[in-house]
Amino acid sequence: MSPHTAPAPVLADHACLIVHGPDQPGIVSAVAALLTRNRGNIVTLDQYSSDPVGGDFFQRVVFHRPELVAAFGEIEADLAATLEPFGLQWKLTDLSVPKRMAILASTSDHCLLDLLWRHRRGELPVTVPMVISNHTNTAEDVRTFGVPFFHVPSQAGPDKSASEAEMLKLLAGNVDFVVLARYMQVISGDFLDRLGVPVINIHHSFLPAFIGAAPYRKAKERGVKLIGATAHYVTEDLDEGPIIEQDVVRVTHGDTVAELQRRGADVERAVLSRAVAWHAEERVIRQGNHTIVF
Amino acid sequence: MSPHTAPAPVLADHACLIVHGPDQPGIVSAVAALLTRNRGNIVTLDQYSSDPVGGDFFQRVVFHRPELVAAFGEIEADLAATLEPFGLQWKLTDLSVPKRMAILASTSDHCLLDLLWRHRRGELPVTVPMVISNHTNTAEDVRTFGVPFFHVPSQAGPDKSASEAEMLKLLAGNVDFVVLARYMQVISGDFLDRLGVPVINIHHSFLPAFIGAAPYRKAKERGVKLIGATAHYVTEDLDEGPIIEQDVVRVTHGDTVAELQRRGADVERAVLSRAVAWHAEERVIRQGNHTIVF
Amino acid sequence: MSPHTAPAPVLADHACLIVHGPDQPGIVSAVAALLTRNRGNIVTLDQYSSDPVGGDFFQRVVFHRPELVAAFGEIEADLAATLEPFGLQWKLTDLSVPKRMAILASTSDHCLLDLLWRHRRGELPVTVPMVISNHTNTAEDVRTFGVPFFHVPSQAGPDKSASEAEMLKLLAGNVDFVVLARYMQVISGDFLDRLGVPVINIHHSFLPAFIGAAPYRKAKERGVKLIGATAHYVTEDLDEGPIIEQDVVRVTHGDTVAELQRRGADVERAVLSRAVAWHAEERVIRQGNHTIVF
Amino acid sequence: MSPHTAPAPVLADHACLIVHGPDQPGIVSAVAALLTRNRGNIVTLDQYSSDPVGGDFFQRVVFHRPELVAAFGEIEADLAATLEPFGLQWKLTDLSVPKRMAILASTSDHCLLDLLWRHRRGELPVTVPMVISNHTNTAEDVRTFGVPFFHVPSQAGPDKSASEAEMLKLLAGNVDFVVLARYMQVISGDFLDRLGVPVINIHHSFLPAFIGAAPYRKAKERGVKLIGATAHYVTEDLDEGPIIEQDVVRVTHGDTVAELQRRGADVERAVLSRAVAWHAEERVIRQGNHTIVF
């Protein structure tokens, strides 16, 4: 495919403000007043409170501010001064800067190519500095998209420290988040800690059903009438991280395991693409083992 | 069914504020400050702008205010003073007061009974002062729900003025909105004008496909693979009013028209129930021929 | 509601033939020839083979045969003679005879009333000789449908033998299958054995996720983005029986457990109604822990 | 992408038999006996009758027959002799031979690349002898899949005869069916006649809603809550041909026309891919303006 890609759908002079913490009267008013006095014009605003009394408050505001870059530090200082008294956490993101997304893959290409294709179409506000795979079969496809491909073979045996170290050398400092696009290796907690950026995985079942290996075979054995896929943040506990998105497709008694895999692949790439877009657009807030998706 | 109904899910000391008009900087801040100074604690807030520059702004805020009833007039006065300079329209609704919903029906019972059953379950913040039908077959069912049933036969011929006048006498001043639950009579513009409250209809197709009579027969003739239903506000133009909600269900070559009707009935009652709930909860804002649904 | 019910959608002079067993060449031809020589005109025919070589074969044929009742024994004799050499099992059902369906319920009315309403509409080829509940709140509703209601209170403690014995006295010989319409009591294997007819349950989750009690609470805790319901045949192992039908609905971070219950109730009644209709129409074949649904 | 493609999922020694015509007793038996005496072992069998008395009968049988090629003529002769007396039409297809599929495209790549990618994965029993486009932007992508790309520019003005003639020279005799993968030129009836093979189009709306140009803009203007796509056989009447498959996706008031296009593109490629697979697998029977899809 052509390396000529559409520009990522970044937004010049737009920022995304995420606020969360204990709900209490006056937060919305304080944030809105802050934006007004900093010449920010609100484009979208979403908020959620788990309970107006004693609950958790979450807000996402996208606002336009001429000459945002010049004013960024000033706005941050105002946010710190304004929101600290409320005990709130906040994060201000410049939406003119695409996030740097690395993709880890194995032999399957459906999730990998769908992400690269959507990136090329300009659907994802990201750059893709690299794809790493423990196999080589997708190298040519990846490079045709103008994306560097690195081959890091899996280590035999349970100790993955050498291959993880090799991947960390490639990733460290170069990426803002990592996507496991049907990467079929277990990731160690140590790797996650050292990596220090969010990792999104696609699991090929409707979690918490069919945790672990071979979910389509398990689905066939149980005789379910729907199969699904789940995109989630990776934590040390396999398939237990916060869920970002899920979807299902109807199947019948007549579908073989191979047909479940083929039909499931369509759900996997759709679910992962949505989750990646939402993460890249700062729409997902993690709260314990949950996500707030605005 | 038992007339012992759950209380409507009204919210004591809660109000819903709808604001809409030309978008411009400072609206969110002004509204939030107003609520803060009137001791309103925001429970949910949704907003939408068709374009931050020169577009239309829509906001729905639900807030809690102790002793709301006593403060209601004061808050309204503040809203008028605050929002008039922005050229904004607003509407403040006391969510402790259920809306009065009349249902017009014909022989079909699926939409009618689903609304009455949801009302009894406490899913709809409404009261149901009356059901009017041009047939009598549902009278016993309706009254079992503890709801008055009135029979107003259709007039033969195109002139419906006498039957419409009889319905208007029943409805005038007694209802906040009217639901046409598969009411199979054309409603005149004059009736709508005199009625003066919103009217919601369920059309048994996926509009704008199959406008008018016999949509399931038309769907069979066209050989579609999905059939649907559409809930919309009624205007003088048949099936052309603002759409509130739509949904579809998959069908096959093997489904007869009777089977399309049966399967479509399930979609109709689901779509109408959602639209009615959203309207009753003040989630729907009409803007020309469109709806904003929060 | 009115006790005047539409007749069950039974089919005079129509029979359903189910054939299953080891697949081998010639079965279809033998069955088709048998029907032809017995003056049966095939209305629908569905078949499935898990593997044409060494797999299991399943076939469902609905055929019309004038004066079916008179010829029934003769056709059965021919089936025995024809299919025995193939080592096939078969079952011939007269579709002019509605199945007798008992419903067991607790306090929730959504599944119970939907089944009774669909029965009254003529959507289910069943009669409903009785509803048994361990509570009394739905008695009036049930009787308004013209259906007998029996109250069998639950026994305190783990031993349910007395209440199960009371239910068995009511059910024995009077029903062809039993539906647990959100019946919140564990059923013993002994009860199932003595009952001797199929039992269909609706579980309020997407099995095998959230087996056991309180699935909506567990779904909230896990932070899933879809909730579901599963209709299955009851076996001694809780929530492990053959699945007949499943479906899901999208939810968000903002939905409380109560809202999951409310939205899930709509999925439950839809899934259960479909499963019951398919069972009553002889569309479901059990094979080990799986179902073939034609 | 790599030109190394998986083999098309063809089935050695398997044939597909389509039978249709006036329903009457004995057809199924006659066909089954014919297959048995020709040593065909039935793998799948689907049938549909619009009415067992006086209706139309449709049957699709896939069967295995060792040394099929050698026996093909013999089976055809038997089919002619057997089915002629019933007045039935039939078609026997050797499933070991992939269908030759040409794709016509314009600038959009989503449907085109999805078909090429599924072909490479081995999901479609086809070969792709050529892609023809009236633009050149997809040439490199297409050739990377190992598929010939031909550029046939559109003619200005309403007369398309020269460009159609050029396409016919490329297509004639070389293809078994043609897919319009968002090909944005009107096709003349004369072109269809001369081409003489089925043509499948993807229309970017839920037909019959939004026939013709700019359906996403029309959908936005009408304010629908779902958008869709429709795959259909092309006839002389624009967007009026027999529908093969349709699907929809939920949208909101907040989606711009550009967002509808982006989300609709996902539905388009999914719907077209399913329709193409079903056509290639001989699952679709045209009957007037309808399709039977087995």
Side-chain angles (χ1 to χ4, degrees):
Chain A
M1 292 183 173
S2 158
H4 305 295
T5 69
V10 294
L11 296 163
D13 288 333
H14 280 69
C16 178
L17 171 65
I18 300 286
V19 175
H20 65 111
D23 198 3
Q24 56 206 285
I27 300 178
V28 181
S29 182
V31 170
L34 181 149
L35 291 175
T36 300
R37 74 176 167 259
N38 284 280
R39 297 176 49 214
N41 192 13
I42 296 174
V43 176
T44 64
L45 184 156
D46 294 283
Q47 62 181 62
Y48 164 65
S49 174
S50 64
D51 189 337
V53 181
D56 293 306
F57 175 83
F58 304 87
Q59 191 182 47
R60 176 184 185 265
V61 188
V62 173
F63 62 93
H64 178 254
R65 205 300 190 174
E67 294 167 44
L68 174 69
V69 176
F72 207 84
E74 209 173 310
I75 300 171
E76 287 190 315
D78 199 350
L79 282 164
T82 304
L83 299 180
E84 244 167 51
F86 288 97
L88 295 167
Q89 293 181 277
W90 58 272
K91 178 183 166 196
L92 188 68
T93 306
D94 182 345
L95 293 181
S96 72
V97 181
K99 285 192 160 46
R100 298 166 301 165
M101 170 178 79
I103 306 175
L104 269 57
S106 294
T107 54
S108 296
D109 70 355
H110 56 285
C111 289
L112 171 63
L113 295 184
D114 205 59
L115 287 173
L116 293 176
W117 174 73
R118 286 183 195 278
H119 171 241
R120 186 175 74 170
R121 267 169 91 79
E123 288 190 10
L124 303 173
V126 301
T127 58
V128 188
M130 73 188 73
V131 168
I132 300 175
S133 177
N134 56 337
H135 293 269
T136 57
N137 62 305
T138 60
E140 186 180 339
D141 280 351
V142 169
R143 290 180 181 138
T144 307
F145 276 102
V147 170
F149 176 93
F150 302 117
H151 179 221
V152 178
S154 308
Q155 257 175 294
D159 177 10
K160 310 290 184 194
S161 57
S163 64
E164 289 192 343
E166 192 178 341
M167 291 198 288
L168 279 171
K169 245 193 289 186
L170 293 166
L171 295 166
N174 291 323
V175 300
D176 296 312
F177 71 109
V178 172
V179 178
L180 308 184
R182 295 299 310 277
Y183 180 68
M184 305 302 280
Q185 297 290 315
V186 174
I187 301 268
S188 74
D190 182 63
F191 177 84
L192 290 175
D193 286 345
R194 288 169 188 244
L195 183 60
V197 298
V199 179
I200 296 172
N201 183 46
I202 180 74
H203 183 73
H204 39 318
S205 83
F206 181 86
L207 289 176
F210 309 127
I211 287 175
Y216 291 124
R217 186 175 52 70
K218 290 174 186 161
K220 180 70 184 173
E221 285 168 3
R222 182 62 186 92
V224 291
K225 300 302 187 185
L226 299 165
I227 56 168
T230 304
H232 63 95
Y233 289 112
V234 177
T235 60
E236 283 200 54
D237 297 319
L238 183 69
D239 302 335
E240 295 287 355
I243 293 169
I244 305 170
E245 171 64 339
Q246 305 186 285
D247 214 339
V248 296
V249 67
R250 189 163 281 272
V251 296
T252 78
H253 59 264
D255 290 308
T256 62
V257 173
E259 285 158 345
L260 298 187
Q261 286 169 332
R262 186 176 62 70
R263 306 196 60 194
D266 284 351
V267 182
E268 293 166 30
R269 68 175 185 168
V271 165
L272 182 61
S273 292
R274 289 202 289 269
V276 165
W278 297 342
H279 175 83
E281 295 163 355
E282 295 278 346
R283 294 181 180 280
V284 189
I285 307 175
R286 288 171 70 158
Q287 166 79 343
N289 205 43
H290 289 194
T291 62
I292 316 300
V293 181
F294 284 129
Chain B
M1 291 181 177
S2 158
H4 305 295
T5 70
V10 295
L11 295 163
D13 286 333
H14 281 67
C16 178
L17 171 64
I18 301 286
V19 174
H20 66 109
D23 198 2
Q24 56 206 284
I27 299 178
V28 180
S29 181
V31 170
L34 182 149
L35 291 175
T36 300
R37 75 176 166 257
N38 283 281
R39 298 177 47 215
N41 192 14
I42 296 176
V43 176
T44 65
L45 183 156
D46 293 283
Q47 61 182 63
Y48 164 64
S49 173
S50 64
D51 190 337
V53 180
D56 292 305
F57 174 83
F58 303 86
Q59 192 182 48
R60 175 183 185 267
V61 189
V62 173
F63 62 92
H64 177 253
R65 206 295 190 180
E67 292 166 48
L68 174 70
V69 175
F72 206 83
E74 211 173 308
I75 299 171
E76 286 191 314
D78 199 350
L79 281 165
T82 304
L83 298 180
E84 243 167 52
F86 288 97
L88 294 166
Q89 293 182 280
W90 58 272
K91 179 183 164 195
L92 188 69
T93 306
D94 181 346
L95 294 180
S96 72
V97 181
K99 285 192 162 42
R100 299 166 301 165
M101 169 177 80
I103 305 175
L104 269 57
S106 293
T107 54
S108 296
D109 69 356
H110 56 285
C111 288
L112 171 64
L113 294 185
D114 204 60
L115 288 173
L116 293 175
W117 174 73
R118 287 184 193 279
H119 171 241
R120 186 176 73 172
R121 266 168 91 77
E123 289 190 10
L124 302 174
V126 300
T127 58
V128 188
M130 71 188 74
V131 168
I132 301 176
S133 176
N134 57 336
H135 294 269
T136 57
N137 62 303
T138 61
E140 186 180 338
D141 280 349
V142 169
R143 288 178 182 141
T144 307
F145 277 101
V147 170
F149 175 93
F150 301 116
H151 179 222
V152 178
S154 308
Q155 255 175 296
D159 177 11
K160 310 291 185 195
S161 56
S163 64
E164 290 192 345
E166 191 178 342
M167 290 199 288
L168 279 172
K169 245 193 289 187
L170 293 165
L171 295 166
N174 290 325
V175 300
D176 297 310
F177 70 110
V178 172
V179 178
L180 308 184
R182 296 299 309 277
Y183 180 69
M184 304 304 279
Q185 296 290 314
V186 174
I187 301 269
S188 73
D190 183 62
F191 177 84
L192 290 175
D193 287 346
R194 286 169 189 245
L195 183 59
V197 299
V199 178
I200 295 172
N201 184 45
I202 180 73
H203 183 72
H204 39 318
S205 83
F206 181 85
L207 289 177
F210 309 127
I211 287 176
Y216 292 124
R217 187 175 51 70
K218 290 174 186 163
K220 180 69 184 173
E221 287 168 3
R222 181 61 187 90
V224 293
K225 301 302 186 185
L226 299 165
I227 57 168
T230 304
H232 63 94
Y233 288 112
V234 177
T235 59
E236 283 201 54
D237 296 318
L238 183 70
D239 302 335
E240 296 286 355
I243 293 169
I244 304 169
E245 172 64 338
Q246 304 186 286
D247 214 339
V248 295
V249 68
R250 188 163 282 273
V251 297
T252 77
H253 59 264
D255 289 309
T256 61
V257 173
E259 284 158 346
L260 298 187
Q261 286 170 332
R262 186 177 61 71
R263 306 196 60 193
D266 284 351
V267 183
E268 293 166 30
R269 67 176 186 170
V271 165
L272 181 60
S273 291
R274 289 202 290 268
V276 165
W278 296 342
H279 175 83
E281 294 162 357
E282 294 278 346
R283 295 180 179 279
V284 189
I285 308 176
R286 288 171 70 157
Q287 167 77 343
N289 205 44
H290 289 193
T291 62
I292 317 300
V293 181
F294 285 129
Chain C
M1 292 182 174
S2 158
H4 306 295
T5 69
V10 295
L11 295 163
D13 287 333
H14 281 68
C16 179
L17 170 65
I18 301 286
V19 175
H20 66 109
D23 199 1
Q24 57 206 285
I27 300 177
V28 181
S29 181
V31 171
L34 181 148
L35 292 175
T36 301
R37 74 176 167 259
N38 284 281
R39 297 177 49 213
N41 192 14
I42 296 176
V43 175
T44 65
L45 183 157
D46 294 282
Q47 62 182 61
Y48 163 65
S49 173
S50 64
D51 190 334
V53 181
D56 292 306
F57 174 83
F58 303 87
Q59 191 181 48
R60 176 184 185 265
V61 188
V62 173
F63 62 92
H64 176 254
R65 207 298 192 174
E67 292 166 47
L68 174 69
V69 175
F72 206 83
E74 210 173 309
I75 299 172
E76 288 190 314
D78 199 351
L79 282 164
T82 304
L83 299 181
E84 243 166 53
F86 289 97
L88 295 167
Q89 294 182 276
W90 58 271
K91 179 182 166 197
L92 188 69
T93 306
D94 181 344
L95 294 180
S96 72
V97 181
K99 285 192 161 45
R100 300 165 301 166
M101 169 178 80
I103 305 174
L104 268 58
S106 292
T107 55
S108 296
D109 69 356
H110 56 286
C111 289
L112 171 63
L113 295 184
D114 205 58
L115 287 174
L116 293 176
W117 174 75
R118 286 183 195 277
H119 172 241
R120 186 175 73 171
R121 268 168 90 78
E123 289 190 9
L124 303 173
V126 300
T127 59
V128 188
M130 72 188 74
V131 168
I132 300 175
S133 177
N134 57 336
H135 293 269
T136 57
N137 62 304
T138 61
E140 186 179 340
D141 281 349
V142 169
R143 290 178 181 140
T144 308
F145 276 101
V147 170
F149 176 93
F150 301 117
H151 178 222
V152 178
S154 309
Q155 253 175 297
D159 177 11
K160 309 291 183 195
S161 56
S163 63
E164 290 193 344
E166 192 178 343
M167 291 199 287
L168 279 171
K169 244 192 290 185
L170 293 165
L171 295 166
N174 291 324
V175 300
D176 297 310
F177 70 109
V178 171
V179 178
L180 308 184
R182 297 296 310 276
Y183 180 67
M184 305 303 280
Q185 296 291 314
V186 174
I187 301 269
S188 74
D190 183 63
F191 178 84
L192 290 175
D193 287 345
R194 288 169 188 245
L195 183 59
V197 298
V199 178
I200 295 172
N201 183 45
I202 180 75
H203 183 72
H204 38 319
S205 83
F206 181 85
L207 289 176
F210 309 127
I211 287 175
Y216 292 124
R217 186 175 51 69
K218 290 174 187 163
K220 180 70 184 173
E221 285 168 4
R222 181 62 187 90
V224 292
K225 301 301 186 185
L226 299 164
I227 57 169
T230 303
H232 63 95
Y233 288 112
V234 177
T235 59
E236 281 201 56
D237 296 319
L238 183 69
D239 302 336
E240 296 285 355
I243 293 170
I244 305 169
E245 171 63 338
Q246 303 187 286
D247 214 340
V248 295
V249 68
R250 189 163 280 275
V251 297
T252 77
H253 58 263
D255 289 308
T256 61
V257 173
E259 283 157 347
L260 298 187
Q261 286 170 331
R262 186 177 60 70
R263 305 197 60 193
D266 284 350
V267 183
E268 293 166 30
R269 68 175 184 167
V271 165
L272 182 61
S273 292
R274 288 202 290 269
V276 165
W278 297 341
H279 175 83
E281 294 163 355
E282 294 280 346
R283 295 181 180 278
V284 189
I285 307 176
R286 289 172 69 158
Q287 167 78 341
N289 206 42
H290 289 193
T291 61
I292 318 299
V293 181
F294 285 129
Chain D
M1 290 181 177
S2 158
H4 306 294
T5 68
V10 294
L11 295 164
D13 287 333
H14 280 68
C16 179
L17 171 65
I18 300 286
V19 175
H20 65 109
D23 199 2
Q24 56 207 285
I27 300 178
V28 180
S29 181
V31 171
L34 182 150
L35 292 175
T36 299
R37 74 174 167 260
N38 284 281
R39 298 176 46 213
N41 192 14
I42 296 176
V43 176
T44 65
L45 184 156
D46 293 283
Q47 63 182 61
Y48 163 64
S49 174
S50 64
D51 190 336
V53 181
D56 293 306
F57 174 83
F58 304 86
Q59 191 182 46
R60 176 184 184 264
V61 188
V62 173
F63 61 93
H64 177 255
R65 205 297 189 176
E67 293 168 46
L68 174 69
V69 175
F72 207 83
E74 211 173 308
I75 300 172
E76 287 190 315
D78 198 352
L79 282 164
T82 305
L83 299 180
E84 242 167 53
F86 288 99
L88 295 167
Q89 295 181 278
W90 58 272
K91 180 182 165 196
L92 187 69
T93 306
D94 181 344
L95 293 180
S96 71
V97 181
K99 283 192 163 43
R100 299 166 302 165
M101 169 178 80
I103 306 175
L104 270 58
S106 293
T107 54
S108 297
D109 69 356
H110 56 286
C111 288
L112 171 63
L113 294 184
D114 205 59
L115 287 174
L116 292 176
W117 174 75
R118 285 183 195 278
H119 171 240
R120 186 176 72 171
R121 267 168 91 78
E123 289 190 10
L124 302 174
V126 300
T127 58
V128 188
M130 72 188 74
V131 168
I132 301 175
S133 176
N134 57 336
H135 294 269
T136 58
N137 62 304
T138 60
E140 185 179 339
D141 280 350
V142 169
R143 289 177 181 141
T144 306
F145 276 101
V147 170
F149 176 93
F150 302 116
H151 179 222
V152 178
S154 309
Q155 256 176 294
D159 177 10
K160 310 290 184 197
S161 56
S163 64
E164 290 192 345
E166 192 178 341
M167 290 198 288
L168 279 172
K169 247 193 288 186
L170 293 165
L171 295 166
N174 292 323
V175 300
D176 296 313
F177 70 109
V178 172
V179 178
L180 308 184
R182 294 298 309 276
Y183 179 68
M184 304 304 278
Q185 297 289 314
V186 173
I187 300 268
S188 73
D190 183 61
F191 178 84
L192 290 175
D193 287 346
R194 288 168 188 247
L195 183 60
V197 299
V199 179
I200 295 173
N201 183 47
I202 180 73
H203 183 72
H204 40 318
S205 83
F206 181 85
L207 289 177
F210 309 128
I211 287 175
Y216 291 125
R217 185 175 53 68
K218 290 174 186 163
K220 180 70 183 173
E221 286 168 4
R222 182 61 187 90
V224 291
K225 300 302 186 187
L226 298 165
I227 57 169
T230 304
H232 62 94
Y233 289 112
V234 177
T235 58
E236 283 201 54
D237 296 318
L238 184 70
D239 302 337
E240 295 286 354
I243 293 169
I244 305 169
E245 172 63 339
Q246 305 187 286
D247 214 340
V248 295
V249 68
R250 189 163 280 273
V251 297
T252 77
H253 59 264
D255 289 309
T256 61
V257 173
E259 285 158 346
L260 297 187
Q261 286 170 333
R262 185 175 62 69
R263 306 196 59 195
D266 284 352
V267 183
E268 292 166 30
R269 66 176 186 169
V271 165
L272 182 60
S273 292
R274 288 202 290 269
V276 165
W278 297 341
H279 175 82
E281 294 163 355
E282 295 278 348
R283 294 181 180 279
V284 189
I285 307 175
R286 288 170 71 159
Q287 167 79 341
N289 205 43
H290 289 193
T291 62
I292 317 301
V293 182
F294 285 130

